[in-house]
Coordinates of all heavy atoms in Angstrom, one line a residue:
M145 N -9.1 -12.2 -13.6 CA -8.5 -11.5 -14.6 C -8.0 -10.1 -14.1 O -8.7 -9.5 -13.4 CB -9.4 -11.3 -15.8 CG -8.8 -10.9 -17.0 SD -8.7 -12.3 -18.1 CE -7.8 -11.5 -19.5
S146 N -6.9 -9.7 -14.5 CA -6.3 -8.5 -14.0 C -6.0 -7.5 -15.1 O -6.1 -7.9 -16.3 CB -5.0 -8.8 -13.2 OG -4.6 -7.7 -12.6
N147 N -5.7 -6.3 -14.8 CA -5.4 -5.3 -15.8 C -4.2 -4.5 -15.3 O -3.8 -4.7 -14.1 CB -6.6 -4.5 -16.1 CG -7.1 -3.7 -14.9 OD1 -6.4 -3.3 -14.0 ND2 -8.5 -3.6 -14.9
P148 N -3.7 -3.5 -16.0 CA -2.5 -2.8 -15.6 C -2.7 -2.0 -14.3 O -1.8 -1.5 -13.7 CB -2.3 -1.8 -16.8 CG -2.9 -2.5 -17.9 CD -4.1 -3.2 -17.4
T149 N -4.0 -1.8 -13.9 CA -4.2 -1.0 -12.7 C -4.3 -1.9 -11.4 O -4.7 -1.4 -10.3 CB -5.5 -0.1 -12.8 OG1 -6.6 -1.0 -13.0 CG2 -5.4 0.8 -14.0
A150 N -3.9 -3.1 -11.5 CA -4.1 -4.0 -10.4 C -3.2 -3.7 -9.2 O -3.6 -3.8 -8.1 CB -3.8 -5.5 -10.8
I151 N -2.0 -3.2 -9.5 CA -1.0 -2.8 -8.4 C -1.6 -1.6 -7.7 O -1.6 -1.5 -6.5 CB 0.4 -2.6 -8.9 CG1 1.0 -3.9 -9.5 CG2 1.3 -2.0 -7.9 CD1 2.3 -3.8 -10.1
D152 N -2.1 -0.7 -8.4 CA -2.8 0.5 -7.8 C -4.0 0.1 -7.0 O -4.2 0.6 -5.9 CB -3.2 1.5 -8.9 CG -3.9 2.7 -8.3 OD1 -3.2 3.4 -7.5 OD2 -5.0 3.0 -8.7
A153 N -4.7 -0.9 -7.4 CA -5.9 -1.4 -6.7 C -5.4 -2.0 -5.3 O -6.1 -1.8 -4.3 CB -6.7 -2.3 -7.5
V154 N -4.3 -2.7 -5.3 CA -3.8 -3.3 -4.1 C -3.4 -2.2 -3.1 O -3.8 -2.2 -1.9 CB -2.6 -4.3 -4.4 CG1 -2.0 -4.7 -3.1 CG2 -3.1 -5.5 -5.2
T155 N -2.7 -1.2 -3.6 CA -2.3 -0.1 -2.8 C -3.5 0.7 -2.2 O -3.5 1.0 -1.0 CB -1.4 0.9 -3.6 OG1 -0.3 0.1 -4.1 CG2 -0.8 2.0 -2.7
R156 N -4.5 0.9 -3.0 CA -5.7 1.6 -2.6 C -6.4 0.8 -1.5 O -6.9 1.3 -0.5 CB -6.6 1.9 -3.7 CG -6.1 3.0 -4.6 CD -7.0 3.2 -5.8 NE -6.5 4.2 -6.7 CZ -7.2 5.3 -7.1 NH1 -8.3 5.5 -6.6 NH2 -6.6 6.1 -7.9
T157 N -6.5 -0.5 -1.7 CA -7.1 -1.4 -0.8 C -6.4 -1.4 0.6 O -7.1 -1.3 1.6 CB -7.2 -2.8 -1.3 OG1 -7.9 -2.8 -2.6 CG2 -7.9 -3.8 -0.3
L158 N -5.1 -1.5 0.6 CA -4.4 -1.4 1.8 C -4.6 -0.1 2.5 O -4.8 0.0 3.7 CB -2.9 -1.7 1.6 CG -2.5 -3.1 1.2 CD1 -1.0 -3.1 0.8 CD2 -2.7 -4.0 2.3
R159 N -4.6 1.0 1.8 CA -4.8 2.3 2.3 C -6.2 2.4 3.0 O -6.3 2.9 4.1 CB -4.6 3.4 1.3 CG -4.8 4.8 1.8 CD -4.6 5.8 0.7 NE -4.8 7.1 1.3 CZ -4.7 8.2 0.6 NH1 -4.2 8.2 -0.6 NH2 -4.9 9.4 1.2
Q160 N -7.2 1.9 2.3 CA -8.5 2.0 2.8 C -8.7 1.1 4.0 O -9.4 1.5 5.0 CB -9.5 1.5 1.7 CG -11.0 1.7 2.1 CD -11.3 3.1 2.3 OE1 -11.0 4.0 1.4 NE2 -12.0 3.5 3.4
M161 N -8.1 0.0 4.1 CA -8.1 -0.9 5.3 C -7.5 -0.2 6.5 O -8.1 -0.2 7.6 CB -7.4 -2.2 5.0 CG -8.2 -3.1 4.0 SD -7.2 -4.6 3.6 CE -7.2 -5.4 5.1
L162 N -6.4 0.5 6.3 CA -5.8 1.2 7.4 C -6.6 2.4 7.8 O -6.8 2.7 9.0 CB -4.4 1.7 7.0 CG -3.3 0.6 6.9 CD1 -2.0 1.2 6.3 CD2 -3.0 0.1 8.3
E163 N -7.2 3.1 6.8 CA -8.0 4.3 7.1 C -9.3 3.8 7.9 O -9.6 4.5 8.9 CB -8.5 5.0 5.9 CG -7.4 5.9 5.3 CD -7.8 6.5 4.0 OE1 -8.8 6.1 3.4 OE2 -7.1 7.4 3.5
D164 N -9.9 2.7 7.5 CA -11.0 2.2 8.3 C -10.7 1.8 9.7 O -11.4 2.1 10.6 CB -11.6 1.0 7.6 CG -12.3 1.3 6.2 OD1 -12.5 2.5 6.0 OD2 -12.5 0.4 5.4
R165 N -9.5 1.2 9.9 CA -9.1 0.8 11.2 C -8.8 2.1 12.1 O -9.2 2.1 13.2 CB -7.8 0.0 11.1 CG -7.3 -0.5 12.4 CD -8.2 -1.5 13.0 NE -7.6 -1.9 14.3 CZ -8.3 -2.2 15.4 NH1 -9.6 -2.1 15.4 NH2 -7.7 -2.6 16.4
F166 N -8.2 3.1 11.5 CA -7.9 4.3 12.3 C -9.2 5.1 12.6 O -9.3 5.7 13.6 CB -6.9 5.2 11.6 CG -5.5 4.6 11.6 CD1 -4.8 4.6 10.4 CD2 -4.9 4.1 12.8 CE1 -3.5 4.1 10.4 CE2 -3.6 3.6 12.8 CZ -2.9 3.6 11.6
R167 N -10.1 5.0 11.7 CA -11.4 5.7 11.9 C -12.2 5.1 13.1 O -12.8 5.8 13.8 CB -12.3 5.6 10.6 CG -13.5 6.5 10.6 CD -14.2 6.6 9.3 NE -13.3 6.9 8.2 CZ -13.1 6.1 7.2 NH1 -13.6 4.9 7.1 NH2 -12.3 6.5 6.2
M168 N -12.0 3.8 13.2 CA -12.6 3.1 14.4 C -12.0 3.5 15.7 O -12.6 3.5 16.7 CB -12.5 1.6 14.2 CG -13.4 1.0 13.2 SD -13.2 -0.8 12.8 CE -12.5 -1.5 14.2
A169 N -10.7 3.9 15.6 CA -10.0 4.3 16.9 C -10.5 5.7 17.4 O -10.3 6.0 18.5 CB -8.5 4.4 16.6
G170 N -11.1 6.5 16.5 CA -11.6 7.8 17.0 C -11.2 8.9 16.0 O -10.5 8.7 15.1
P171 N -11.8 10.1 16.2 CA -11.6 11.2 15.3 C -10.2 11.8 15.2 O -9.8 12.3 14.2 CB -12.6 12.2 15.8 CG -12.8 11.9 17.2 CD -12.6 10.4 17.4
A172 N -9.4 11.6 16.3 CA -8.1 12.2 16.3 C -7.0 11.1 16.0 O -5.9 11.2 16.5 CB -7.8 12.8 17.7
S173 N -7.3 10.2 15.1 CA -6.4 9.2 14.8 C -5.5 9.6 13.6 O -5.6 10.7 13.0 CB -7.2 7.9 14.5 OG -8.0 8.1 13.4
A174 N -4.7 8.7 13.1 CA -3.7 8.9 12.1 C -4.3 9.0 10.7 O -5.3 8.4 10.4 CB -2.6 7.8 12.1
T175 N -3.7 9.8 9.9 CA -4.0 9.8 8.4 C -3.1 8.9 7.7 O -2.0 8.6 8.1 CB -3.8 11.3 7.8 OG1 -2.5 11.7 8.0 CG2 -4.8 12.2 8.5
V176 N -3.6 8.4 6.6 CA -2.8 7.4 5.8 C -2.5 8.0 4.4 O -3.4 8.5 3.7 CB -3.6 6.1 5.6 CG1 -2.8 5.0 4.8 CG2 -4.0 5.5 7.0
T177 N -1.2 8.0 4.0 CA -0.8 8.5 2.7 C -0.1 7.4 1.9 O 0.4 6.4 2.5 CB 0.1 9.7 2.9 OG1 1.2 9.3 3.7 CG2 -0.6 10.9 3.5
T178 N 0.1 7.6 0.7 CA 0.9 6.7 -0.2 C 1.8 7.5 -1.1 O 1.7 7.5 -2.3 CB -0.1 5.9 -1.1 OG1 -0.9 6.8 -1.8 CG2 -0.9 4.9 -0.3
K179 N 2.7 8.2 -0.4 CA 3.6 9.1 -1.1 C 5.0 8.6 -1.1 O 5.4 7.7 -0.3 CB 3.6 10.5 -0.4 CG 2.3 11.2 -0.5 CD 2.4 12.6 0.2 CE 1.1 13.3 0.2 NZ 1.2 14.6 0.9
P180 N 5.9 9.1 -2.0 CA 7.3 8.7 -1.9 C 7.9 9.2 -0.6 O 7.4 10.1 0.0 CB 7.9 9.5 -3.1 CG 6.8 9.9 -4.0 CD 5.6 10.0 -3.1
L181 N 8.9 8.5 -0.2 CA 9.5 8.8 1.2 C 9.9 10.2 1.4 O 9.8 10.7 2.5 CB 10.7 7.8 1.4 CG 10.3 6.3 1.4 CD1 11.5 5.5 1.6 CD2 9.3 6.0 2.5
D182 N 10.5 10.8 0.3 CA 11.0 12.2 0.5 C 9.8 13.2 0.5 O 10.1 14.4 0.8 CB 12.0 12.5 -0.6 CG 11.4 12.5 -2.0 OD1 10.4 11.7 -2.2 OD2 12.0 13.1 -2.9
K183 N 8.6 12.8 0.2 CA 7.5 13.7 0.2 C 6.4 13.3 1.1 O 5.3 13.9 1.2 CB 6.9 13.8 -1.2 CG 7.9 14.4 -2.2 CD 7.4 14.5 -3.6 CE 8.5 15.1 -4.5 NZ 8.2 14.9 -5.8
A184 N 6.6 12.3 1.9 CA 5.6 11.8 2.8 C 5.2 12.7 3.9 O 4.0 12.9 4.2 CB 6.1 10.5 3.4
R185 N 6.2 13.4 4.5 CA 5.9 14.3 5.6 C 6.3 15.7 5.2 O 7.4 16.0 4.8 CB 6.7 13.9 6.8 CG 6.3 14.6 8.1 CD 5.0 14.1 8.6 NE 4.9 14.5 10.0 CZ 3.8 14.2 10.7 NH1 2.8 13.6 10.2 NH2 3.8 14.6 12.0
N186 N 5.3 16.6 5.2 CA 5.6 18.0 4.8 C 6.2 18.7 6.0 O 5.8 18.6 7.2 CB 4.3 18.8 4.5 CG 3.7 18.2 3.2 OD1 4.4 17.7 2.4 ND2 2.4 18.4 3.1
R187 N 7.3 19.4 5.8 CA 8.0 20.1 6.9 C 7.2 21.3 7.4 O 7.3 21.6 8.6 CB 9.4 20.7 6.3 CG 10.3 19.6 5.9 CD 11.1 19.0 7.0 NE 12.0 18.0 6.5 CZ 12.4 17.0 7.2 NH1 12.0 16.9 8.5 NH2 13.2 16.1 6.7
D188 N 6.4 21.9 6.6 CA 5.7 23.1 7.1 C 4.3 22.7 7.7 O 3.6 23.6 8.2 CB 5.5 24.1 5.9 CG 4.7 23.5 4.8 OD1 4.6 22.2 4.7 OD2 4.2 24.2 3.9
N189 N 4.0 21.5 7.7 CA 2.7 21.0 8.2 C 2.9 20.3 9.5 O 3.7 19.4 9.6 CB 2.1 20.1 7.1 CG 0.6 19.7 7.5 OD1 0.1 20.2 8.5 ND2 0.1 18.8 6.7
S190 N 2.1 20.7 10.5 CA 2.2 20.0 11.8 C 1.7 18.6 11.6 O 2.1 17.7 12.3 CB 1.4 20.8 12.8 OG 0.0 20.8 12.5
G191 N 0.7 18.4 10.7 CA 0.3 17.1 10.2 C -0.4 16.2 11.2 O -1.3 15.5 10.7
G192 N 0.0 16.1 12.4 CA -0.6 15.1 13.3 C 0.0 13.7 13.0 O 1.0 13.6 12.3
D193 N -0.6 12.7 13.5 CA -0.1 11.3 13.4 C -0.4 10.9 11.9 O -1.4 11.2 11.4 CB -0.8 10.4 14.3 CG -0.4 10.7 15.8 OD1 0.6 11.4 16.0 OD2 -1.2 10.4 16.7
Q194 N 0.6 10.1 11.4 CA 0.5 9.7 10.0 C 1.1 8.4 9.7 O 2.1 8.1 10.4 CB 1.2 10.8 9.1 CG 1.2 10.5 7.6 CD 2.0 11.5 6.8 OE1 2.4 12.6 7.4 NE2 2.4 11.2 5.6
V195 N 0.6 7.6 8.8 CA 1.1 6.4 8.4 C 1.3 6.5 6.8 O 0.3 6.9 6.2 CB 0.2 5.2 8.7 CG1 0.8 3.9 8.1 CG2 0.1 5.0 10.2
N196 N 2.5 6.2 6.3 CA 2.7 6.2 4.9 C 3.0 4.9 4.4 O 3.9 4.1 4.9 CB 3.9 7.2 4.6 CG 4.0 7.5 3.1 OD1 3.1 8.0 2.5 ND2 5.1 7.0 2.6
L197 N 2.4 4.5 3.2 CA 2.7 3.2 2.5 C 3.5 3.5 1.3 O 3.1 4.4 0.5 CB 1.4 2.6 2.1 CG 0.5 2.0 3.2 CD1 -0.9 1.5 2.6 CD2 1.1 0.8 3.9
F198 N 4.6 2.8 1.1 CA 5.4 3.1 0.0 C 5.8 1.7 -0.7 O 6.4 0.9 0.0 CB 6.7 3.8 0.4 CG 7.7 4.0 -0.8 CD1 7.4 4.9 -1.8 CD2 8.9 3.3 -0.8 CE1 8.2 5.1 -2.9 CE2 9.7 3.5 -1.9 CZ 9.4 4.4 -2.9
L199 N 5.3 1.5 -1.9 CA 5.7 0.3 -2.6 C 7.1 0.4 -3.1 O 7.4 1.2 -4.0 CB 4.7 0.1 -3.8 CG 5.0 -1.1 -4.7 CD1 4.8 -2.4 -4.0 CD2 4.1 -1.1 -5.9
Y200 N 8.0 -0.4 -2.5 CA 9.4 -0.3 -2.9 C 10.0 -1.4 -3.7 O 11.1 -1.3 -4.3 CB 10.3 -0.1 -1.6 CG 10.5 -1.4 -0.8 CD1 11.5 -2.2 -1.0 CD2 9.5 -1.7 0.2 CE1 11.7 -3.3 -0.2 CE2 9.7 -2.8 1.0 CZ 10.8 -3.7 0.8 OH 10.9 -4.8 1.5
H201 N 9.3 -2.5 -3.8 CA 9.8 -3.6 -4.6 C 8.7 -4.5 -5.2 O 7.8 -4.9 -4.4 CB 10.7 -4.5 -3.7 CG 11.6 -5.5 -4.5 ND1 11.2 -6.8 -4.6 CD2 12.7 -5.3 -5.2 CE1 12.1 -7.4 -5.4 NE2 13.0 -6.5 -5.7
V202 N 8.8 -4.8 -6.4 CA 7.9 -5.7 -7.1 C 8.7 -6.8 -7.7 O 9.6 -6.6 -8.5 CB 7.0 -5.0 -8.2 CG1 6.1 -6.0 -8.9 CG2 6.3 -3.8 -7.6
S203 N 8.3 -8.1 -7.5 CA 9.0 -9.2 -8.1 C 8.0 -10.3 -8.5 O 6.9 -10.3 -8.0 CB 10.1 -9.8 -7.1 OG 9.4 -10.2 -5.9
E204 N 8.4 -11.1 -9.4 CA 7.5 -12.2 -9.8 C 7.6 -13.4 -8.8 O 8.6 -13.7 -8.3 CB 8.0 -12.7 -11.2 CG 7.1 -13.7 -11.8 CD 7.5 -14.0 -13.3 OE1 8.5 -13.6 -13.7 OE2 6.7 -14.8 -13.9
S205 N 6.4 -13.9 -8.6 CA 6.3 -15.1 -7.6 C 6.6 -16.4 -8.4 O 5.9 -16.7 -9.3 CB 4.9 -15.1 -7.1 OG 4.7 -16.3 -6.3
G206 N 7.6 -17.1 -7.9 CA 7.9 -18.4 -8.5 C 6.9 -19.4 -8.2 O 6.6 -20.3 -9.1
A207 N 6.2 -19.3 -7.1 CA 5.1 -20.3 -6.8 C 3.9 -20.2 -7.7 O 3.3 -21.2 -8.0 CB 4.7 -20.1 -5.3
W208 N 3.6 -19.0 -8.1 CA 2.4 -18.8 -9.0 C 2.8 -18.7 -10.5 O 1.9 -18.6 -11.3 CB 1.7 -17.5 -8.6 CG 1.0 -17.6 -7.3 CD1 1.4 -17.2 -6.1 CD2 -0.3 -18.2 -7.1 NE1 0.5 -17.5 -5.1 CE2 -0.6 -18.1 -5.7 CE3 -1.2 -18.7 -8.0 CZ2 -1.8 -18.5 -5.2 CZ3 -2.4 -19.2 -7.4 CH2 -2.7 -19.1 -6.0
K209 N 4.1 -18.8 -10.8 CA 4.5 -18.6 -12.2 C 3.8 -19.5 -13.2 O 3.4 -19.1 -14.3 CB 6.0 -18.8 -12.3 CG 6.6 -18.3 -13.6 CD 8.1 -18.3 -13.5 CE 8.6 -17.7 -14.8 NZ 10.0 -17.4 -14.7
N210 N 3.7 -20.8 -12.9 CA 3.1 -21.7 -13.8 C 1.7 -22.2 -13.4 O 1.2 -23.2 -13.9 CB 4.0 -22.9 -14.1 CG 5.3 -22.4 -14.8 OD1 5.2 -21.6 -15.7 ND2 6.4 -22.9 -14.3
A211 N 1.1 -21.6 -12.4 CA -0.2 -22.1 -11.9 C -1.3 -21.5 -12.7 O -1.2 -20.3 -13.1 CB -0.4 -21.7 -10.4
S212 N -2.3 -22.3 -13.0 CA -3.4 -21.7 -13.8 C -4.5 -21.1 -12.8 O -4.5 -21.5 -11.6 CB -4.1 -22.8 -14.6 OG -4.5 -23.9 -13.8
M213 N -5.3 -20.3 -13.3 CA -6.3 -19.7 -12.5 C -7.3 -20.8 -12.1 O -7.7 -21.6 -12.9 CB -7.1 -18.6 -13.3 CG -6.3 -17.3 -13.4 SD -6.3 -16.4 -11.9 CE -7.9 -15.6 -12.0
P214 N -7.7 -20.8 -10.8 CA -8.7 -21.8 -10.4 C -10.0 -21.6 -11.1 O -10.5 -20.5 -11.3 CB -8.9 -21.4 -8.9 CG -7.7 -20.7 -8.5 CD -7.3 -19.9 -9.7
G215 N -10.5 -22.7 -11.6 CA -11.8 -22.7 -12.3 C -11.7 -22.4 -13.8 O -12.8 -22.4 -14.5
T216 N -10.5 -22.2 -14.4 CA -10.4 -21.9 -15.8 C -10.1 -23.1 -16.6 O -10.1 -23.0 -17.9 CB -9.4 -20.8 -16.0 OG1 -8.1 -21.2 -15.6 CG2 -9.8 -19.5 -15.3
A217 N -9.6 -24.2 -16.0 CA -9.2 -25.4 -16.7 C -8.2 -25.1 -17.8 O -8.2 -25.7 -18.9 CB -10.5 -26.1 -17.3
G218 N -7.2 -24.3 -17.5 CA -6.1 -24.0 -18.5 C -6.4 -23.2 -19.6 O -5.7 -23.2 -20.6
A219 N -7.6 -22.5 -19.6 CA -7.9 -21.6 -20.7 C -7.1 -20.3 -20.7 O -7.2 -19.5 -19.8 CB -9.4 -21.3 -20.7
G220 N -6.2 -20.1 -21.6 CA -5.4 -18.9 -21.7 C -4.1 -19.0 -20.9 O -3.9 -20.0 -20.2
P221 N -3.3 -18.0 -21.0 CA -2.0 -18.1 -20.2 C -2.3 -17.9 -18.7 O -3.3 -17.3 -18.3 CB -1.3 -16.9 -20.8 CG -2.3 -16.0 -21.3 CD -3.4 -16.8 -21.8
P222 N -1.3 -18.4 -17.9 CA -1.5 -18.2 -16.5 C -1.3 -16.7 -16.1 O -0.6 -16.0 -16.8 CB -0.4 -19.1 -15.9 CG 0.6 -19.2 -17.0 CD -0.1 -19.1 -18.3
P223 N -1.9 -16.3 -15.0 CA -1.8 -14.9 -14.6 C -0.4 -14.6 -14.1 O 0.3 -15.6 -13.7 CB -2.8 -14.8 -13.5 CG -2.9 -16.1 -12.9 CD -2.8 -17.1 -14.1
L224 N 0.0 -13.4 -14.1 CA 1.3 -13.0 -13.6 C 1.2 -12.8 -12.1 O 0.6 -11.9 -11.6 CB 1.8 -11.7 -14.3 CG 3.1 -11.1 -13.8 CD1 4.2 -12.1 -14.2 CD2 3.4 -9.8 -14.5
G225 N 1.8 -13.7 -11.4 CA 1.8 -13.6 -9.9 C 2.9 -12.7 -9.5 O 4.1 -12.9 -9.8
L226 N 2.6 -11.7 -8.7 CA 3.6 -10.7 -8.2 C 3.6 -10.7 -6.7 O 2.7 -11.0 -6.0 CB 3.2 -9.3 -8.7 CG 3.2 -9.1 -10.2 CD1 2.7 -7.7 -10.5 CD2 4.6 -9.3 -10.8
I227 N 4.8 -10.4 -6.2 CA 5.0 -10.2 -4.8 C 5.3 -8.7 -4.6 O 6.2 -8.1 -5.3 CB 6.3 -10.9 -4.3 CG1 6.0 -12.4 -4.4 CG2 6.5 -10.6 -2.8 CD1 7.3 -13.3 -4.2
L228 N 4.4 -8.0 -3.9 CA 4.5 -6.6 -3.7 C 5.0 -6.3 -2.3 O 4.4 -6.8 -1.3 CB 3.1 -5.9 -3.8 CG 2.4 -6.2 -5.1 CD1 1.0 -5.5 -5.1 CD2 3.2 -5.7 -6.3
R229 N 6.1 -5.6 -2.1 CA 6.7 -5.3 -0.8 C 6.5 -3.8 -0.5 O 6.9 -2.9 -1.3 CB 8.1 -5.6 -0.8 CG 8.3 -7.1 -0.9 CD 9.8 -7.5 -0.6 NE 9.9 -8.9 -0.4 CZ 10.3 -9.8 -1.4 NH1 10.6 -9.3 -2.6 NH2 10.4 -11.1 -1.2
Y230 N 5.9 -3.5 0.6 CA 5.6 -2.1 1.0 C 6.4 -1.8 2.2 O 6.7 -2.6 3.1 CB 4.1 -2.0 1.4 CG 3.2 -2.0 0.2 CD1 2.7 -3.2 -0.3 CD2 2.8 -0.8 -0.4 CE1 1.9 -3.2 -1.4 CE2 2.0 -0.8 -1.5 CZ 1.5 -2.0 -2.0 OH 0.7 -2.0 -3.1
L231 N 6.9 -0.5 2.3 CA 7.5 0.0 3.5 C 6.5 0.9 4.2 O 5.9 1.8 3.6 CB 8.7 0.9 3.1 CG 9.4 1.6 4.2 CD1 10.1 0.6 5.1 CD2 10.5 2.5 3.6
V232 N 6.2 0.6 5.4 CA 5.2 1.3 6.2 C 6.0 2.2 7.2 O 6.8 1.8 8.0 CB 4.3 0.4 7.0 CG1 3.3 1.2 7.9 CG2 3.6 -0.6 6.1
T233 N 5.8 3.5 7.0 CA 6.5 4.5 7.8 C 5.5 5.2 8.7 O 4.4 5.7 8.2 CB 7.2 5.6 7.0 OG1 8.0 4.9 6.0 CG2 8.1 6.4 7.8
V234 N 5.8 5.3 10.0 CA 4.9 6.0 10.9 C 5.5 7.3 11.5 O 6.6 7.3 11.9 CB 4.6 5.0 12.1 CG1 3.7 5.7 13.1 CG2 4.0 3.7 11.6
Y235 N 4.7 8.3 11.4 CA 5.1 9.6 11.9 C 4.2 10.0 13.1 O 2.9 9.9 12.9 CB 5.0 10.7 10.9 CG 5.8 10.4 9.6 CD1 5.3 9.8 8.5 CD2 7.2 10.8 9.6 CE1 6.0 9.6 7.4 CE2 7.9 10.5 8.5 CZ 7.4 9.9 7.4 OH 8.1 9.7 6.3
A236 N 4.7 10.3 14.2 CA 3.9 10.7 15.4 C 4.1 12.2 15.6 O 5.1 12.8 15.5 CB 4.4 9.9 16.6
D237 N 3.0 12.8 16.0 CA 2.9 14.2 16.3 C 3.2 14.4 17.8 O 2.5 14.0 18.6 CB 1.6 14.8 15.9 CG 1.6 16.3 16.1 OD1 2.6 16.9 16.0 OD2 0.5 16.9 16.3
R238 N 4.4 15.0 18.1 CA 4.8 15.2 19.5 C 4.1 16.5 20.0 O 4.2 17.5 19.4 CB 6.3 15.3 19.6 CG 7.0 14.1 19.3 CD 8.4 14.2 19.5 NE 9.1 13.0 19.2 CZ 10.0 12.5 19.9 NH1 10.4 13.1 21.0 NH2 10.6 11.3 19.6
K239 N 3.4 16.3 21.1 CA 2.7 17.5 21.7 C 3.2 17.8 23.1 O 3.7 17.0 23.8 CB 1.2 17.2 21.7 CG 0.6 17.1 20.4 CD -0.9 16.9 20.5 CE -1.4 16.8 19.0 NZ -2.8 16.7 19.0

C-alpha cells in the first residue's frame, strides 16, 4: 500500500544508495543532492565533486495498470503503477 509520499521515498532511497556507495569510496568522495537543475550547483561554492538527482518525468505504467497487488486476491482497487525518470547530473571539482 502506498501513500502520497511514495515518490519522495523513492527519491530519498536512490539518494541514500548513492551516498552509501560514495561513502565506501572514501572521505573525499562526491556529495549527492536532489535539487532543481538551475540550483544544483552553487556558483559561489567550490563544492567538490557532486551528483544531482532530478525527477523530470512521471508517467503511468501500462504494464501495471490493471494488475492487482500480489497476495491481495483482488481486494480493493489496483495500485497506481508509475514510471519515474530521473536525470543524473555529475559535477567534478577541477583542481
Side-chain angles (χ1 to χ4, degrees):
M145 190 106 183
S146 189
N147 60 35
T149 62
I151 294 174
D152 180 53
V154 171
T155 303
R156 287 177 187 237
T157 301
L158 289 172
R159 180 180 181 175
Q160 187 64 48
M161 289 173 66
L162 286 170
E163 285 176 346
D164 291 346
R165 180 68 177 144
F166 289 131
R167 193 174 303 118
M168 288 175 20
S173 60
T175 58
V176 182
T177 57
T178 55
K179 296 180 181 180
L181 297 177
D182 61 336
K183 297 180 180 163
R185 190 73 161 177
N186 295 332
R187 298 273 181 208
D188 59 346
N189 186 4
S190 63
D193 297 337
Q194 177 185 346
V195 175
N196 188 63
L197 291 172
F198 176 70
L199 177 64
Y200 73 92
H201 192 261
V202 178
S203 60
E204 189 173 2
S205 171
W208 287 98
K209 191 169 188 170
N210 294 317
S212 60
M213 285 285 278
T216 60
L224 179 61
L226 296 176
I227 299 171
L228 306 178
R229 291 188 170 99
Y230 288 86
L231 177 66
V232 180
T233 310
V234 179
Y235 300 95
D237 187 24
R238 294 181 179 227
K239 293 183 181 182

